[in-house]
Amino acid sequence: MFGRKKKAADEDLDQFEEFHDDVDAQAEVDEFEVEVRPEGGPYDRDELDDPEGAAQSRLDLGSVQVPLPEGGQIQVEMAPDGTPQAVHLVTEHGRVTIAAYAAPKSPGQWREVAGDLAESLRADQAEISVQSGPWGRELHAVTPNADLRFIGVDGPRWMIRCVVAGPVGSAGLETPLTAIAREILAGTVVNRGTEPYPVRTPLPVVLPQMLAEQLVAAQQQQMQAQQQAAQAQQTAEVQEAAVAEAAAAAQAAAAAAQDHTLPPEERPGGSGSAMQQLRR
């Protein structure tokens, strides 16, 4: 099911020569570079013999179809406009996020992206190390509160990036979280589509219908809870104002009653009747 379709020999030869011309043109040798995408994935959907069957056994997010880790949970991150921005696979060891990006036909985008990521992370005072993994270079970033690992793979007109995040010490080279992330990445299928996208543009994330319905239901419950909390707060404020008003009225009534019971000469503002005051 996961075998790649056979292509014409002359097409393969042209691609091989074009690729190696690009590699030869590089000024320096990259010890982390992998010349070809290793067998076993991640896969391009157009290369599969049974793409529909592959989609059924994975979480279909439109541009990527990812296998779910055992015991893993799904966490959806929404953009400000309400569209899904990322889907995280949460495990007992940490979180794995896989996303696909538009790329040129020739490989090498991950190398550029990794360099930009390393520069940005160093600016944030993270400790960066470049390590070698199954697909070439991997970035390991250590921060005071978390470990991060970035794994990238160049494909035909796409680049896939896997972000591994967990507690300090969890994203090392041979940790359980890193092993889970590599297993997920190896089984991922990329559905690039035919739409033209600028280089490095994230490919769209589309939630499965069931997951989208669950998300809408959760959002509605959250909105209802917020409305109920706001109404309860408003009711409490009205009741508090009514109590304060009643207390003020009672205090004013008590003061008035006290004023009527005092002799004229002891009432506030006077020491006797008006006639008595004039006679003084």
Side-chain angles (χ1 to χ4, degrees), residues 20-121:
H20 281 278
D21 287 342
D22 292 339
V23 172
D24 294 339
Q26 295 179 357
E28 58 183 15
V29 177
D30 185 359
E31 60 178 317
F32 298 103
E33 198 73 29
V34 174
E35 293 188 356
V36 295
R37 190 158 35 106
E39 293 291 336
Y43 305 94
D44 185 277
R45 186 179 187 277
D46 293 338
E47 298 174 340
L48 300 181
D49 296 328
D50 184 13
E52 298 300 330
Q56 292 177 0
S57 61
R58 291 164 170 77
L59 175 64
D60 191 350
L61 300 175
S63 55
V64 291
Q65 300 161 356
V66 296
L68 290 175
E70 184 177 357
Q73 297 181 346
I74 302 171
Q75 184 182 74
V76 181
E77 180 180 343
M78 305 299 290
D81 61 359
T83 59
Q85 180 172 316
V87 176
H88 310 291
L89 306 180
V90 182
T91 75
E92 61 177 322
H93 304 288
R95 192 174 74 178
V96 178
T97 308
I98 292 183
Y101 299 79
K105 293 182 179 180
S106 58
Q109 179 164 294
W110 168 239
R111 180 180 181 181
E112 298 176 2
V113 170
D116 294 341
L117 280 172
E119 183 177 351
S120 176
L121 290 165

Side-chain angles (χ1 to χ4, degrees), residues 6 75 79 85 92 103 109 141 150 181 197-198 222 240 244 258:
K6 295 182 179 180
Q75 184 182 74
Q85 180 172 316
E92 61 177 322
Q109 179 164 294
F150 299 87
Y197 294 104
Q222 184 178 7
E240 184 179 353
Q258 184 180 12

